[in-house]
Amino acid sequence: MTNSHISPYFYLSREEWSQLRAATPLTLSEKELIELRGINEMVLLDEVAEVYLPMSRLLNLHVAAAQHLYQVMDTFLGKPVAKVPYVIGIGGSVAVGKSTTARILQALLSRWPDHPRVDLITTDGFLYPNKILEERGIMHRKGFPESYGLKRLVKFVADVKSGSASVTAPVYRHLIYDIVPDETITVEQPDIMILEGLNILQTGHHTPEDRSPRVFVSDFIDFSIFVEADEPDLEQWYVKRFLRLRETAFRDPQSYFHHYASLSPEEAMETARTLWRDINQVNLRENIIPTRERADLILEKGEKHAVTGVRIRKL
């Protein structure tokens, strides 16, 4: 147990955190929330009100402060006020619920009057295509730092932060488990861009031959959130999601994982556990958990994906 006086974070229980909602109105309906949920994540409206509304209020205050600072700098430099998107990073393990967190925040933040345009980009689009991963013999390391085109990702975020009128990102589709050739998503000076992915807070070189730049994605993130849960819960959520996908998306003949659809329940359970143990757990321990302490805010989850507490970095 860490001594709270030497921790760089304030810890707030869910109840304490929920008080910080103040008078922020709930602008999300039950119907809208259902569309934002991930597989096997029963996020309730109570959780949106108690956890996500205080977060959207905090972020709204941060965005306003950042906009003011940009104006100050532009006045000092004698330049016209530039429109620079505020970048929020969301990191954490596979199966922890990053995507749902990102989608709920996008919906809530876009309802604030000062920043109605909120874009959401996932770093999956910056994975190398399967063809390259296979050529390099690292298909089994998909999601690890070396499986991403980090230079391209850094350039993308740098271009967005420099106020470029239009920046494109590649598109990844989970069904085919690959980059979609010739398909891109365009970011055109949003008020806020949410960047969600495993690797957003990572720094440093991971292999001797790695020549990636000394500039990192995290250098361009204004506020970072890390979603965390205990490993046994993460494994359970991963396995449960795999079993659910086996009954749904994997049945599609186009699915990269179509061959898993014919597994028996026992075989599917064993396959999911093996994939977790050999790939996702290794990546979590080696590359994801070490970045947790770099986050501005840590969302702590307990069973059933419910947030139990929040750690927020001291200024």
Side-chain angles (χ1 to χ4, degrees):
M1 194 167 158
T2 358
N3 291 331
S4 57
H5 66 280
I6 58 164
S7 168
Y9 294 95
F10 292 112
Y11 177 78
L12 296 157
S13 67
R14 175 163 165 162
E15 193 180 342
E16 290 167 326
W17 176 254
S18 70
Q19 303 302 312
L20 302 177
R21 169 188 174 179
T24 310
L26 178 56
T27 51
L28 208 57
S29 69
E30 181 72 50
K31 183 174 179 291
E32 288 168 318
L33 180 59
I34 288 167
E35 288 168 11
L36 299 172
R37 284 180 190 141
I39 292 172
N40 295 321
E41 289 176 58
M42 286 306 294
V43 181
L44 303 174
L45 270 180
D46 280 356
E47 175 136 322
V48 173
E50 293 170 14
V51 176
Y52 292 96
L53 279 182
M55 209 186 325
S56 85
R57 178 179 169 234
L58 173 69
L59 288 164
N60 183 54
L61 292 168
H62 270 270
V63 173
Q67 285 169 345
H68 176 67
L69 280 176
Y70 284 127
Q71 286 169 0
V72 168
M73 184 57 83
D74 287 343
T75 303
F76 173 70
L77 295 172
K79 297 193 313 186
V81 177
K83 181 170 182 184
V84 180
Y86 188 88
V87 177
I88 297 166
I90 300 180
S93 171
V94 165
V96 77
K98 297 183 301 302
S99 301
T100 301
T101 297
R103 288 192 295 266
I104 292 173
L105 272 182
Q106 180 187 27
L108 292 174
L109 288 169
S110 64
R111 285 161 167 79
W112 284 87
D114 299 338
H115 37 77
R117 285 200 53 202
V118 183
D119 284 358
L120 171 56
I121 297 289
T122 71
T123 59
D124 291 345
F126 295 89
L127 283 160
Y128 287 119
N130 288 353
K131 186 171 178 290
I132 292 177
L133 295 176
E134 281 160 5
E135 282 168 6
R136 296 184 181 181
I138 55 168
M139 193 67 182
H140 64 295
R141 303 273 292 177
K142 198 167 194 175
F144 284 68
E146 64 269 28
S147 66
Y148 290 89
L150 288 178
K151 281 184 184 174
R152 189 174 182 186
L153 175 56
V154 167
K155 186 176 185 320
F156 166 78
V157 186
D159 287 347
V160 169
K161 274 310 277 183
S162 67
S164 295
S166 177
V167 190
T168 57
V171 171
Y172 181 86
R173 193 159 294 150
H174 287 277
L175 181 71
I176 60 170
Y177 196 58
D178 203 355
I179 301 297
V180 184
D182 306 321
E183 194 174 319
T184 57
I185 183 167
T186 305
V187 174
E188 296 174 333
Q189 291 186 313
D191 301 297
I192 296 173
M193 183 178 80
I194 298 173
L195 185 67
E196 177 254 307
L198 301 170
N199 59 338
I200 57 152
L201 293 174
Q202 285 162 4
T203 60
H205 298 313
H206 296 274
T207 59
E209 54 282 354
D210 181 15
R211 293 287 179 266
S212 58
R214 296 306 300 174
V215 179
F216 306 107
V217 173
S218 55
D219 293 334
F220 301 97
I221 291 174
D222 296 292
F223 193 95
S224 53
I225 297 164
F226 189 95
V227 188
E228 79 164 349
D230 291 338
E231 274 192 32
D233 287 332
L234 289 169
E235 180 177 3
Q236 185 193 345
W237 298 340
Y238 178 81
V239 170
K240 199 173 173 185
R241 185 173 77 177
F242 184 93
L243 296 177
R244 179 88 181 103
L245 287 168
R246 172 182 154 270
E247 295 166 7
T248 53
F250 292 173
R251 296 199 182 277
D252 187 327
Q254 280 191 301
S255 170
Y256 179 86
F257 297 106
H258 183 57
H259 58 289
Y260 287 144
S262 57
L263 295 176
S264 70
E266 295 74 21
E267 288 168 334
M269 179 87 75
E270 188 50 45
T271 301
R273 290 217 165 105
T274 303
L275 288 170
W276 171 262
R277 190 175 56 244
D278 294 352
I279 299 170
N280 297 297
Q281 187 182 65
V282 177
N283 197 16
L284 174 66
R285 291 176 178 178
E286 286 181 6
N287 301 303
I288 300 168
I289 286 177
T291 69
R292 177 181 52 196
E293 303 304 317
R294 304 188 66 235
D296 296 303
L297 184 145
I298 300 172
L299 271 187
E300 296 183 349
K301 283 189 169 188
E303 292 177 52
K304 298 181 182 172
H305 279 280
V307 173
T308 54
V310 176
R311 282 195 283 155
I312 184 161
R313 185 174 287 283
K314 299 170 183 173
L315 289 175

